[in-house]
Amino acid sequence: MDIYLHFTNQAKEAIAFYEEVFETEPAQIMTFGQMPQDEENPLDDRFKDLVLNANLKLNDTNVMISDSPEGMAPPIVVGNNVALVFNATTAEEATKIFNRLTEKGTILLPLEKTFWAKLYGMVKDQYGVMWHINLY
């Protein structure tokens, strides 16, 4: 299981802070500008340098970090900026876990293929816990 931290345009600043605090190796960072672009829906220049995803290794724990630009992700509210990440080993497992979490929860992003994963989805469960379900 991994940890995911969401920020409003402060991810790079937070990454630098955590790297210094925990004396870690530099995080692997991908910006919104580095992701495959959709010519029909071009990315706003304001978002190009924001963090799409970063992986900061703290001992044996992956702390993933991203910015959540307005209009591209659910709004950040202190308390919803931390999520648990479940890395499934099969499509069946990813689908089963995702569906169970959504039974009394809320789908934030449907479970579907992305450019970085075979399946990826976000859900807030019935207790308000945010989950990212991945199948790489």
Side-chain angles (χ1 to χ4, degrees), residues 1-4 53 55 57 60-64 84-91 93-95 97 101 111 116-121 131-136:
M1 190 154 316
D2 299 326
I3 299 168
Y4 212 110
N53 187 62
N55 186 14
K57 197 80 161 164
D60 291 332
T61 301
N62 289 312
V63 178
M64 297 186 295
L84 299 177
V85 178
F86 181 79
N87 293 308
T89 56
T90 66
E93 181 183 38
T95 302
I97 297 293
L101 290 170
L111 187 66
W116 71 85
K118 293 175 185 173
L119 288 173
Y120 172 80
W131 291 89
H132 296 235
I133 308 301
N134 282 317
L135 175 64
Y136 291 114

Side-chain angles (χ1 to χ4, degrees), residues 23-90:
E23 299 177 358
T24 67
E25 295 293 318
Q28 298 173 9
I29 298 173
M30 175 184 259
T31 65
F32 280 89
Q34 293 171 309
M35 73 178 182
Q37 299 299 306
D38 178 356
E39 292 179 18
E40 293 180 20
N41 298 298
L43 182 66
D44 188 312
D45 285 341
R46 298 175 299 151
F47 302 147
K48 288 187 177 180
D49 291 329
L50 295 179
V51 175
L52 172 66
N53 187 62
N55 186 14
L56 185 64
K57 197 80 161 164
L58 300 182
N59 294 333
D60 291 332
T61 301
N62 289 312
V63 178
M64 297 186 295
I65 298 170
S66 73
D67 283 306
S68 293
E70 185 177 334
M72 292 182 70
I76 294 296
V77 176
V78 175
N80 81 349
N81 58 329
V82 176
L84 299 177
V85 178
F86 181 79
N87 293 308
T89 56
T90 66

